[in-house]
Structure formats: structure tokens, C-alpha cells
Amino acid sequence: MGCDRNCGLIAGAVIGAVLAVFGGILMPVGDLLIQKTIKKQVVLEEGTIAFKNWVKTGTEVYRQFWIFDVQNPQEVMMNSSNIQVKQRGPYTY
């Protein structure tokens, strides 16, 4: 014996309502748990993940900058000419 169409609709509605209530409860509770964990781990104190990553990173950290020097600024401003640039860099720190 099976379930007819009305039984399936009622079962779907009940399951949907239970999931909606569960989601409504879990959203603020989960948010509080996540905020608590973040506040605990972000502090730079010995024993936290943030401190361990701050003391020694997994890889070397470099910043690279490229500067482009406009070679024809007057022509660009007066005639709307194509910009001619010369690359400077990369400057690595």
C-alpha cells in the first residue's frame, strides 16, 4: 500500500516546515558559534592559529608593483591620441 498524492503533499509540507524551523533556529545559533570561534582564534596570542601563521608563514610573501610611464601626455590630452606607455618594474618588496 502506498501514499496517494495528498499524502505526499502533506508529507512534503511537514518536512519543509520542520526544515524551515530548524534553519530559523540554526541561523542565529550558528552565527554566534562562528563569531565566538573567530574572536578566539584571531587574537595574536601564543597557541592560536593566527599567531602560528603570523610567526612563520608557509611561503615567502612578496609584493610586486609595476609602474607605467606615459610617454606622450600632451598628445593624449590635446588630440585624444593613443597612449604610449613604458613599463617600469616590477619592483619587488
Side-chain angles (χ1 to χ4, degrees), residues 4 7 11 20 24 29 32 39 41-42 44 53 61-62 72 76:
D4 63 351
C7 179
V29 172
L32 288 174
K39 285 181 182 178
Q41 291 296 327
V42 165
L44 285 176
N53 290 335
V61 178
Y62 294 106
N72 60 342
V76 171

Side-chain angles (χ1 to χ4, degrees), residues 2 8 17 21 23 26 28 31 33 37 44-45 55 62 65 73-74 76 80 85 88 92:
V21 169
L26 197 60
D31 192 38
L33 290 174
T37 304
L44 285 176
E45 291 179 351
V55 170
Y62 294 106
F65 298 94
Q74 295 300 325
V76 171
S80 299
V85 293
R88 308 283 184 183
T92 304

Side-chain angles (χ1 to χ4, degrees), residues 14-47:
V14 169
I15 291 171
V18 169
L19 289 175
V21 169
F22 184 68
I25 293 171
L26 197 60
M27 284 174 51
V29 172
D31 192 38
L32 288 174
L33 290 174
I34 290 171
Q35 284 181 1
K36 181 180 174 186
T37 304
I38 288 173
K39 285 181 182 178
K40 186 174 85 173
Q41 291 296 327
V42 165
V43 178
L44 285 176
E45 291 179 351
E46 218 171 317

Side-chain angles (χ1 to χ4, degrees), residues 3 5-17:
C3 193
R5 184 171 182 215
N6 288 337
C7 179
L9 290 175
I10 292 172
V14 169
I15 291 171

